[in-house]
Amino acid sequence: MKHFKVIAFDNRDAGRSSKAKGPYSIADMADDTAGLMDALGIRQAHVLGGSMGGAIAQELVLRHPNKVRKLILACTVGQLARFRVSMFEHLKFIKERDPDGKVSVTHLLCLCMTHNFLRMRKLWTECLP
């Protein structure tokens, strides 16, 4: 029976990572992943990427193909449709103007989800001013 070691880490600006000092791209985050693999002495790995991690994993295999033995993608896309990109531009706009993090994920859901979705999950009242 084979055994695997799972390494989960926080990307830039996520979880317990430090706040980025400037702009960065998915390709930069793929390079971060390759750098982490080097620092940990991991020559090659099976890579699982979910959501944005899937986009990063795809860039990783394009930029550093020898580092990825198998690529597993979950809940992700190969390319963002223009309307989805514009949603991220709005979220970036909010984040840049909210340095203290006063806008919660729920507040952002109020901008992105339908009224029916918010009512079903009992989030509607949190969206009211």
Side-chain angles (χ1 to χ4, degrees):
M1 180 174 171
K2 291 185 178 183
H3 297 275
F4 295 92
K5 183 186 291 185
V6 175
I7 299 171
F9 58 94
D10 293 329
N11 291 301
R12 295 183 191 197
D13 279 343
R16 289 183 260 168
S17 69
S18 59
K19 185 168 175 59
K21 295 184 182 0
Y24 55 91
S25 67
I26 294 291
D28 294 327
M29 291 162 60
D31 291 341
D32 293 345
T33 304
L36 176 61
M37 290 174 72
D38 290 342
L40 295 174
I42 301 169
R43 189 177 55 81
Q44 193 176 55
H46 300 289
V47 176
L48 167 65
S51 191
M52 182 179 71
I56 296 167
Q58 290 173 74
E59 274 297 324
L60 178 66
V61 80
L62 291 171
R63 298 171 71 80
H64 307 276
N66 294 334
K67 291 196 170 295
V68 180
R69 185 166 183 181
K70 291 186 181 176
L71 177 63
I72 304 105
L73 300 174
C75 306
T76 192
V77 296
Q79 180 178 8
L80 290 175
R82 181 65 215 150
F83 77 94
R84 290 290 181 212
V85 172
S86 65
M87 181 180 84
F88 288 113
E89 290 169 356
H90 290 69
L91 296 178
K92 180 181 173 196
F93 176 86
I94 292 167
K95 183 178 177 185
E96 288 171 348
R97 285 153 182 81
D98 183 35
D100 299 325
K102 293 179 182 176
V103 178
S104 71
V105 172
T106 301
H107 292 114
L108 297 177
L109 280 175
C110 297
L111 301 173
C112 304
M113 303 301 168
T114 66
H115 295 170
N116 190 40
F117 174 91
L118 296 167
R119 276 191 208 97
M120 287 183 341
R121 283 153 185 83
K122 298 183 175 42
L123 295 171
W124 184 248
T125 56
E126 295 180 41
C127 296
L128 300 174

